[in-house]
Amino acid sequence: MSIADESGGRSRQMRQKAQQLEQAAERANDPAERERLKEKARRLQEESKKTEQMGSGGIDPM
């Protein structure tokens, strides 16, 4: 398995987790909890984009 494949899989997992967090945020009754979950989902989505770019050679990690 290549580095690109590994980072692509990791990126996909992060996006799925971010989507789960967004859904949990929609169901949350507490506004503070809802905001916390949305923020965590946003950070995961950003990280998945960075991981995907590094795996595709878009960003030089060094």
Side-chain angles (χ1 to χ4, degrees):
M1 181 177 276
S2 73
I3 292 173
D5 290 340
E6 288 179 25
S7 63
R10 196 172 353 180
S11 178
R12 218 175 355 270
Q13 287 176 340
M14 283 190 270
R15 284 194 306 270
Q16 288 173 343
K17 180 66 177 173
Q19 187 175 19
Q20 290 171 352
L21 288 169
E22 283 282 348
Q23 291 169 350
E26 291 174 14
R27 293 188 303 268
N29 293 326
D30 179 30
E33 178 71 3
R34 184 179 306 124
E35 194 57 39
R36 185 186 70 77
L37 290 168
K38 284 184 179 184
E39 179 61 26
K40 192 169 183 178
R42 185 189 62 77
R43 283 193 310 265
L44 263 177
Q45 288 172 339
E46 287 178 4
E47 179 127 3
S48 76
K49 287 178 187 176
K50 289 178 187 176
T51 301
E52 194 170 324
Q53 289 173 342
M54 288 195 328
S56 67
I59 295 177
D60 183 9
M62 294 297 198

XYZ file of all heavy atoms in Angstrom:
487
model
N 0.852 -1.179 0.000
C 0.000 0.000 0.000
C 0.897 1.241 0.000
O 1.837 1.343 0.764
C -0.894 -0.010 1.239
C -1.824 1.187 1.291
S -2.945 1.151 2.700
C -4.218 0.125 2.030
N 0.569 2.192 -0.854
C 1.390 3.391 -0.950
C 0.991 4.416 0.104
O -0.066 4.320 0.735
C 1.246 4.009 -2.343
O -0.022 4.612 -2.469
N 1.842 5.409 0.262
C 1.558 6.487 1.220
C 0.293 7.228 0.801
O -0.528 7.589 1.639
C 2.765 7.437 1.320
C 3.932 6.715 1.972
C 2.404 8.694 2.106
C 5.217 7.487 1.983
N 0.132 7.432 -0.503
C -1.069 8.120 -0.994
C -2.331 7.338 -0.645
O -3.340 7.917 -0.258
C -0.984 8.338 -2.497
N -2.264 6.015 -0.772
C -3.423 5.188 -0.424
C -3.738 5.280 1.060
O -4.897 5.374 1.456
C -3.185 3.721 -0.794
C -3.164 3.476 -2.298
O -3.696 4.324 -3.043
O -2.607 2.447 -2.709
N -2.691 5.235 1.881
C -2.886 5.319 3.328
C -3.480 6.662 3.727
O -4.414 6.716 4.527
C -1.558 5.114 4.056
C -1.063 3.693 4.026
C 0.269 3.537 4.728
O 0.578 4.355 5.608
O 0.995 2.593 4.398
N -2.951 7.742 3.177
C -3.464 9.054 3.550
C -4.872 9.264 3.000
O -5.699 9.922 3.622
C -2.527 10.171 3.099
O -2.421 10.190 1.694
N -5.160 8.667 1.839
C -6.508 8.756 1.286
C -7.512 8.047 2.171
O -8.609 8.546 2.408
N -7.135 6.879 2.691
C -8.008 6.136 3.595
C -8.214 6.869 4.905
O -9.317 6.944 5.430
N -7.127 7.434 5.408
C -7.204 8.188 6.663
C -8.076 9.433 6.476
O -8.889 9.767 7.323
C -5.796 8.592 7.077
C -5.661 9.022 8.487
C -4.231 9.214 8.865
N -3.366 8.766 7.774
C -2.067 8.785 7.756
N -1.427 9.230 8.778
N -1.369 8.365 6.739
N -7.900 10.090 5.338
C -8.693 11.280 5.031
C -10.179 10.924 4.950
O -11.032 11.642 5.469
C -8.219 11.874 3.706
O -8.971 12.990 3.357
N -10.472 9.804 4.321
C -11.864 9.347 4.193
C -12.467 9.067 5.567
O -13.605 9.439 5.850
C -11.888 8.078 3.326
C -13.036 7.989 2.395
C -12.999 6.789 1.449
N -11.846 5.920 1.442
C -10.771 6.077 0.661
N -10.701 7.088 -0.170
N -9.777 5.213 0.706
N -11.678 8.427 6.433
C -12.157 8.126 7.787
C -12.441 9.412 8.566
O -13.434 9.495 9.286
C -11.135 7.286 8.541
C -11.065 5.865 8.068
C -9.962 5.086 8.779
O -9.030 5.658 9.334
N -10.063 3.766 8.748
N -11.572 10.389 8.406
C -11.775 11.662 9.105
C -13.038 12.359 8.609
O -13.796 12.919 9.403
C -10.564 12.579 8.932
C -9.397 12.190 9.797
S -8.098 13.427 9.798
C -7.119 12.863 8.430
N -13.272 12.314 7.296
C -14.493 12.940 6.757
C -15.743 12.240 7.269
O -16.745 12.881 7.594
C -14.464 12.935 5.231
C -13.550 13.986 4.646
C -13.783 14.182 3.161
N -13.702 12.951 2.394
C -12.601 12.471 1.843
N -11.470 13.100 1.982
N -12.626 11.346 1.159
N -15.682 10.901 7.361
C -16.831 10.155 7.879
C -17.092 10.509 9.339
O -18.242 10.704 9.747
C -16.599 8.657 7.734
C -16.673 8.164 6.314
C -16.284 6.700 6.171
O -15.670 6.114 7.061
N -16.605 6.113 5.033
N -16.024 10.602 10.121
C -16.166 10.959 11.530
C -16.721 12.376 11.652
O -17.593 12.639 12.499
C -14.800 10.852 12.233
C -14.839 11.194 13.694
C -15.655 10.197 14.482
C -15.606 10.518 15.953
N -16.493 9.696 16.749
N -16.264 13.284 10.805
C -16.760 14.659 10.827
C -18.260 14.684 10.515
O -19.023 15.418 11.149
C -16.002 15.517 9.821
N -18.676 13.861 9.579
C -20.094 13.795 9.232
C -20.904 13.253 10.410
O -21.990 13.762 10.718
C -20.296 12.913 7.999
C -21.716 12.920 7.481
C -21.846 12.141 6.191
O -21.002 11.312 5.835
N -22.914 12.398 5.463
N -20.374 12.251 11.095
C -21.059 11.713 12.278
C -21.181 12.778 13.365
O -22.223 12.882 14.021
C -20.301 10.504 12.819
C -20.370 9.291 11.931
C -19.428 8.186 12.390
O -18.620 8.371 13.290
N -19.525 7.024 11.758
N -20.129 13.567 13.538
C -20.164 14.629 14.548
C -21.195 15.699 14.181
O -21.897 16.216 15.048
C -18.777 15.263 14.706
C -17.740 14.386 15.402
C -16.355 14.990 15.253
C -18.097 14.203 16.869
N -21.283 16.031 12.903
C -22.289 17.000 12.444
C -23.697 16.489 12.746
O -24.553 17.236 13.209
C -22.145 17.253 10.939
C -21.007 18.149 10.566
C -21.298 19.618 10.806
O -22.454 19.985 11.060
O -20.339 20.397 10.747
N -23.914 15.209 12.486
C -25.231 14.627 12.752
C -25.529 14.625 14.243
O -26.650 14.914 14.657
C -25.303 13.211 12.184
C -25.290 13.186 10.669
C -25.102 11.794 10.102
O -24.806 10.844 10.808
N -25.252 11.676 8.788
N -24.525 14.312 15.048
C -24.703 14.335 16.502
C -25.005 15.760 16.967
O -25.824 15.969 17.870
C -23.459 13.798 17.199
N -24.359 16.739 16.344
C -24.597 18.141 16.702
C -26.043 18.533 16.416
O -26.676 19.253 17.193
C -23.636 19.045 15.935
N -26.580 18.042 15.308
C -27.966 18.350 14.957
C -28.937 17.771 15.982
O -29.993 18.348 16.240
C -28.291 17.804 13.568
C -27.580 18.540 12.457
C -27.789 17.890 11.101
O -28.686 17.024 10.976
O -27.057 18.253 10.172
N -28.577 16.649 16.586
C -29.461 16.002 17.558
C -29.270 16.541 18.982
O -30.109 16.296 19.846
C -29.220 14.491 17.563
C -29.627 13.803 16.275
C -29.541 12.300 16.406
N -28.223 11.819 16.786
C -27.254 11.456 15.955
N -27.450 11.532 14.660
N -26.093 11.024 16.412
N -28.161 17.231 19.224
C -27.841 17.690 20.581
C -28.848 18.744 21.051
O -29.203 19.653 20.307
C -26.430 18.270 20.615
N -29.290 18.597 22.290
C -30.233 19.556 22.861
C -29.524 20.753 23.481
O -30.050 21.854 23.483
C -31.092 18.877 23.934
C -32.026 17.840 23.343
O -32.516 18.012 22.237
N -32.260 16.756 24.059
N -28.344 20.518 24.000
C -27.581 21.570 24.662
C -26.841 22.411 23.616
O -26.038 21.876 22.846
C -26.579 20.920 25.631
C -25.726 21.936 26.353
O -26.206 23.058 26.586
O -24.574 21.594 26.695
N -27.076 23.716 23.579
C -26.412 24.573 22.586
C -24.879 24.538 22.676
O -24.210 24.560 21.643
C -26.932 25.976 22.898
C -28.202 25.766 23.640
C -28.047 24.465 24.372
N -24.336 24.459 23.873
C -22.886 24.412 24.037
C -22.333 23.105 23.462
O -21.294 23.100 22.791
C -22.514 24.552 25.507
N -23.018 22.013 23.716
C -22.601 20.710 23.184
C -22.700 20.715 21.661
O -21.815 20.214 20.962
C -23.474 19.596 23.768
C -23.179 18.213 23.252
C -21.856 17.642 23.759
O -21.174 18.299 24.560
O -21.492 16.547 23.331
N -23.767 21.291 21.126
C -23.962 21.374 19.684
C -22.803 22.143 19.045
O -22.215 21.706 18.046
C -25.282 22.081 19.370
C -25.622 22.121 17.900
C -26.950 22.807 17.627
N -28.015 22.199 18.406
C -28.806 22.877 19.250
N -28.657 24.166 19.422
N -29.758 22.259 19.915
N -22.440 23.266 19.639
C -21.350 24.084 19.107
C -20.012 23.357 19.197
O -19.200 23.399 18.270
C -21.285 25.414 19.857
C -20.425 26.442 19.183
C -20.837 26.758 17.763
O -22.054 26.827 17.485
O -19.938 26.927 16.918
N -19.784 22.658 20.298
C -18.544 21.903 20.479
C -18.413 20.823 19.403
O -17.356 20.641 18.803
C -18.516 21.270 21.872
C -17.204 20.568 22.211
C -17.286 19.846 23.539
N -18.157 18.680 23.502
C -17.817 17.501 22.964
N -16.628 17.332 22.433
N -18.661 16.498 22.969
N -19.505 20.112 19.142
C -19.488 19.057 18.137
C -19.282 19.621 16.729
O -18.528 19.053 15.931
C -20.787 18.246 18.191
C -20.956 17.358 19.421
C -22.385 16.840 19.501
C -19.962 16.211 19.405
N -19.916 20.741 16.437
C -19.743 21.359 15.124
C -18.302 21.818 14.918
O -17.740 21.655 13.841
C -20.686 22.556 14.965
C -22.115 22.157 14.695
C -22.962 23.382 14.453
C -24.385 23.007 14.151
N -25.194 24.178 13.813
N -17.707 22.379 15.956
C -16.326 22.842 15.868
C -15.371 21.658 15.667
O -14.442 21.721 14.865
C -15.961 23.623 17.131
C -14.543 24.133 17.158
C -14.213 25.096 16.033
O -15.134 25.760 15.508
O -13.026 25.185 15.663
N -15.622 20.587 16.377
C -14.780 19.388 16.240
C -14.906 18.831 14.821
O -13.909 18.429 14.217
C -15.192 18.345 17.271
C -14.220 17.211 17.419
C -14.545 16.354 18.618
C -13.526 15.260 18.806
N -13.784 14.440 19.980
N -16.113 18.819 14.284
C -16.335 18.338 12.921
C -15.602 19.226 11.918
O -14.966 18.722 10.978
C -17.829 18.309 12.607
N -15.643 20.528 12.120
C -14.974 21.463 11.219
C -13.457 21.225 11.226
O -12.830 21.182 10.176
C -15.280 22.913 11.620
C -14.706 23.942 10.657
C -14.827 25.353 11.185
N -14.090 25.551 12.425
C -12.760 25.699 12.504
N -12.028 25.645 11.421
N -12.179 25.889 13.676
N -12.892 21.037 12.415
C -11.453 20.791 12.522
C -11.062 19.475 11.829
O -10.041 19.404 11.156
C -11.015 20.754 13.989
C -10.918 22.132 14.608
C -10.180 22.114 15.942
N -10.656 21.102 16.875
C -11.552 21.304 17.827
N -12.074 22.499 17.999
N -11.919 20.323 18.620
N -11.884 18.452 11.991
C -11.608 17.165 11.338
C -11.652 17.298 9.816
O -10.838 16.717 9.110
C -12.628 16.121 11.779
C -12.215 15.192 12.905
C -13.359 14.260 13.266
C -10.985 14.398 12.564
N -12.615 18.070 9.313
C -12.721 18.266 7.872
C -11.483 18.982 7.339
O -10.947 18.612 6.289
C -13.982 19.045 7.523
C -15.231 18.222 7.698
C -16.506 19.038 7.553
O -16.496 20.257 7.701
N -17.605 18.363 7.283
N -11.014 19.999 8.062
C -9.809 20.710 7.645
C -8.605 19.777 7.651
O -7.798 19.784 6.726
C -9.546 21.901 8.571
C -10.502 23.043 8.362
C -10.261 24.185 9.328
O -9.298 24.140 10.127
O -11.050 25.144 9.294
N -8.492 18.989 8.697
C -7.372 18.048 8.797
C -7.429 17.009 7.684
O -6.405 16.631 7.130
C -7.393 17.351 10.155
C -6.281 16.357 10.300
C -5.462 16.581 11.546
O -5.786 17.475 12.323
O -4.505 15.829 11.707
N -8.627 16.549 7.335
C -8.740 15.551 6.266
C -8.288 16.146 4.937
O -7.654 15.466 4.132
C -10.163 15.006 6.160
O -11.022 15.921 5.541
N -8.573 17.413 4.705
C -8.128 18.063 3.473
C -6.605 18.145 3.437
O -5.983 17.880 2.407
C -8.723 19.469 3.366
C -10.193 19.482 3.031
C -10.722 20.885 2.984
C -12.232 20.882 2.820
N -12.785 22.240 2.869
N -5.997 18.504 4.560
C -4.534 18.584 4.615
C -3.915 17.210 4.383
O -2.942 17.077 3.645
C -4.082 19.125 5.972
C -4.377 20.589 6.167
C -3.931 21.029 7.548
C -4.378 22.442 7.838
N -4.046 22.857 9.212
N -4.478 16.193 5.023
C -3.961 14.831 4.876
C -4.071 14.378 3.434
O -3.144 13.782 2.884
C -4.734 13.863 5.791
O -4.603 14.306 7.141
C -4.222 12.448 5.672
N -5.185 14.691 2.808
C -5.399 14.293 1.422
C -4.409 14.997 0.501
O -3.840 14.382 -0.396
C -6.829 14.633 1.008
C -7.270 13.989 -0.273
C -8.741 14.154 -0.512
O -9.513 14.127 0.436
O -9.113 14.340 -1.683
N -4.161 16.265 0.730
C -3.222 17.019 -0.093
C -1.803 16.485 0.063
O -1.064 16.380 -0.907
C -3.260 18.500 0.262
C -4.526 19.186 -0.194
C -4.618 20.610 0.303
O -3.929 21.005 1.229
N -5.497 21.385 -0.307
N -1.425 16.152 1.290
C -0.073 15.630 1.517
C 0.092 14.286 0.834
O 1.144 14.002 0.257
C 0.233 15.516 3.016
C 0.427 16.881 3.613
S 1.184 17.046 5.217
C 0.781 15.669 6.170
N -0.923 13.453 0.860
C -0.848 12.138 0.240
C -0.800 12.207 -1.270
O -0.193 11.370 -1.929
N -1.409 13.244 -1.835
C -1.423 13.373 -3.301
C -0.228 14.156 -3.818
O -0.106 14.384 -5.007
C -2.725 14.046 -3.750
O -2.746 15.394 -3.302
N 0.646 14.590 -2.898
C 1.813 15.343 -3.313
C 1.528 16.819 -3.468
O 2.353 17.566 -3.962
N 0.367 17.264 -3.021
C -0.009 18.671 -3.140
C 0.770 19.576 -2.202
O 1.026 20.726 -2.516
N 1.194 19.059 -1.075
C 1.958 19.836 -0.111
C 3.190 19.041 0.282
O 3.109 17.846 0.554
C 1.127 20.119 1.160
C -0.060 21.005 0.828
C 1.983 20.765 2.237
C -0.967 21.274 2.015
N 4.323 19.709 0.298
C 5.553 19.063 0.721
C 5.608 19.071 2.234
O 5.622 20.141 2.835
C 6.763 19.808 0.143
C 8.070 19.138 0.491
O 8.040 18.009 1.022
O 9.119 19.747 0.231
N 5.579 17.908 2.899
C 5.532 17.876 4.371
C 6.816 18.369 5.018
O 6.856 18.631 6.195
C 5.291 16.401 4.689
C 5.719 15.657 3.486
C 5.538 16.592 2.326
N 7.881 18.542 4.284
C 9.147 19.019 4.856
C 9.343 20.467 4.596
O 9.205 21.129 3.779
C 10.323 18.228 4.288
C 10.279 16.813 4.700
S 10.423 16.785 6.492
C 10.880 15.164 6.770
